[in-house]
Amino acid sequence: MEKKEQFLKEVQSGYSFKGESIVLGGAMLDKENVSGTTVNAPLKMFNRHGLIAGATGTGKTKTLQVIAEQLSHCGVPSLLMDVKGDLSGIAAQAVPNPGILERHSRLGIPYHPSGNQVEFLSISGEQGLRLRATVSEFGPVLFSRMLGLNETQSGMVSLIFKYCDDNKLPLLDLKDVKRVLQYLGDEGKTELTKVYGTLSSASVGTIMRKIIELEQQGAEIFFGEPSFDVADLCRTDKHG
């Protein structure tokens, strides 16, 4: 009993914070839950970097769900990259079952099932609000990395972006990039060489093939207008 009381005292002392905090779960002693030992985290700390690591089945996804739900209850929006759809369930209200009720009883944490305010965003053909960006906004560095180009080819992509910027030619989608490549590799080659330097025909061909590969993987869905604005994720409620 003394061991348990000491454990309870240490946990309660270690997870007591000034200001608002969120509940992540309960502490365990000798593989048993100890009621009254909630593990909390200060709300103000969630603007810091963090890492959730562990083997398969250790609760990483569930931890992310709990954090997202708790932040939602505090009015804090969060953006989750959910490739497999494991986190989407937080949108629906849970159906109570004996296992959940027993677990919460052992943890000493009240159970109030509720859905959360969720908006689905998509960069593919899946359902949800479509996220898009223009090639110009993506920038030459990220675009080159996406294409898997070497240093020389990446330099040429930067040259193409520079040419378009100077001539006020917006690169909206992959078709725009291909048209510029075709022009600068053919009738516009002399114009380009005078101001910016030589554009290798071999590199133009490589970049063009890489863009076609990207198109075949469905990337044309992502590039284009209207482009995504991070401010669209923020909402200001005006009172009074």
Side-chain angles (χ1 to χ4, degrees):
M1 182 62 69
E2 184 179 343
K3 180 180 179 181
K4 186 175 181 179
E5 291 176 352
Q6 180 64 25
F7 178 75
L8 180 63
K9 181 179 179 181
E10 289 181 0
V11 172
Q12 290 178 341
S13 174
Y15 289 100
S16 297
F17 308 103
K18 291 182 179 180
E20 197 170 357
S21 63
I22 67 174
V23 178
L24 299 180
M28 299 181 71
L29 175 65
D30 298 329
K31 298 183 179 180
E32 292 292 333
N33 295 116
V34 179
S35 183
T37 57
T38 54
V39 175
N40 307 321
L43 187 61
K44 64 181 181 181
M45 294 298 291
F46 280 89
N47 61 349
R48 308 287 184 89
H49 292 91
L51 172 66
I52 300 173
T56 301
T58 54
K60 298 186 298 297
T61 299
K62 182 58 65 178
T63 300
L64 284 172
Q65 286 180 318
V66 170
I67 291 174
E69 288 173 339
Q70 293 288 315
L71 290 176
S72 178
H73 295 164
C74 294
V76 179
S78 54
L79 177 63
L80 307 175
M81 306 302 178
D82 191 14
V83 178
K84 296 188 294 182
D86 293 335
L87 303 173
S88 59
I90 65 174
Q93 180 174 317
V95 178
N97 63 59
I100 293 177
L101 296 176
E102 188 217 348
R103 178 177 176 80
H104 275 263
S105 177
R106 284 191 282 113
L107 291 172
I109 300 174
Y111 179 60
H112 303 294
S114 64
N116 295 275
Q117 200 168 33
V118 174
E119 184 167 9
F120 291 99
L121 311 174
S122 175
I123 60 171
S124 65
E126 296 294 328
Q127 293 184 351
L129 179 66
R130 182 67 53 79
L131 298 183
R132 309 192 79 188
T134 65
V135 176
S136 292
E137 291 169 331
F138 214 67
V141 176
L142 285 178
F143 190 66
S144 296
R145 289 181 180 176
M146 178 179 280
L147 295 177
L149 303 178
N150 61 33
E151 187 175 343
T152 301
Q153 294 158 354
S154 297
M156 292 188 177
V157 168
S158 296
L159 186 152
I160 292 166
F161 272 72
K162 174 64 175 172
Y163 172 85
C164 291
D165 286 342
D166 291 347
N167 289 276
K168 293 181 171 44
L169 299 173
L171 294 172
L172 301 182
D173 53 29
L174 296 179
K175 291 178 182 177
D176 287 344
V177 183
K178 290 197 296 184
R179 291 191 191 100
V180 173
L181 269 174
Q182 290 168 343
Y183 172 74
L184 296 179
D186 193 6
E187 62 262 37
K189 194 170 186 177
T190 302
E191 174 193 354
L192 182 75
T193 303
K194 287 181 180 178
V195 181
Y196 303 95
T198 305
L199 197 65
S200 166
S201 298
S203 292
V204 168
T206 299
I207 296 170
M208 186 69 76
R209 287 193 298 272
K210 293 287 187 178
I211 292 174
I212 292 172
E213 289 176 9
L214 206 59
E215 286 179 321
Q216 291 174 334
Q217 296 174 46
E220 74 276 2
I221 295 176
F222 174 72
F223 288 108
E225 288 186 316
S227 56
F228 169 70
D229 186 347
V230 70
D232 293 339
L233 294 177
C234 302
R235 186 187 70 194
T236 302
D237 292 332
K238 296 181 179 180
H239 302 283

